[in-house]
Amino acid sequence: PFGGDRLTLIAPVDSSIPENVSLRQVLEYPLLLREPGSAGRAAFDRLLQEHGLNVEPAWESVSTQALVRAVAAGLGVAVLPKLLIQQDVASGNVVPLTLKEPLRRTLNIVYHKRKYLSESMQRFIALCRETGEQ
């Protein structure tokens, strides 16, 4: 582990969605999600499963930025990693909402322990750890 992240619900700027929302309430809106199998989607799907909920997304994409633009255009809401949407939130393109059921995840560095780590790879791992500490 080198850091953590929180998945954040984002909505259009002119949304009437309450600032503090439950998973059940989220499912009342068109949901725009990452593709099945992505780390963020898997974490969100697990959270839904833990609460006995199921979702049929309105739209799926492999692109976080495509999802953010779709939310900004008023096509729905999305649950995305906070680290990846900070600039869009700061720019006022979308608004972050608080999920009553917070969703945090641990970010890990994974490598084969018996393989040689090049100097570049060692620097990359050090950068990950340094960034995670911030």
Side-chain angles (χ1 to χ4, degrees), residues 32-126:
L32 315 176
L33 295 176
R34 288 292 309 258
E35 76 284 3
S38 68
R41 172 69 180 270
F44 184 64
D45 286 345
R46 274 192 307 275
L47 181 65
L48 288 171
Q49 187 177 21
E50 288 171 10
H51 287 85
L53 300 170
N54 195 12
V55 65
E56 186 64 39
W59 189 52
E60 297 173 331
S61 177
V62 298
S63 169
T64 298
Q65 280 307 301
L67 292 169
V68 171
R69 284 189 220 108
V71 169
L75 300 178
V77 298
V79 177
L80 296 167
K82 182 179 180 181
L83 291 172
L84 299 180
I85 61 164
Q86 286 176 323
Q87 186 174 354
D88 294 290
V89 169
S91 299
N93 298 331
V94 294
V95 294
L97 304 175
T98 302
L99 279 172
K100 289 181 182 175
E101 301 86 352
L103 182 52
R104 292 177 176 78
R105 63 184 181 162
T106 301
L107 303 175
N108 296 287
I109 301 167
V110 180
Y111 59 91
H112 194 292
K113 66 181 179 180
R114 293 188 183 148
K115 297 289 181 176
Y116 171 75
L117 293 178
S118 67
E119 183 179 333
S120 297
M121 188 58 162
Q122 290 175 33
R123 283 188 292 201
F124 175 72
I125 290 170

Side-chain angles (χ1 to χ4, degrees), residues 16-28:
S16 61
I17 302 171
E19 187 176 322
N20 193 2
V21 63
S22 71
L23 280 174
R24 278 196 198 284
Q25 290 172 303
V26 169
L27 299 182
E28 295 172 10

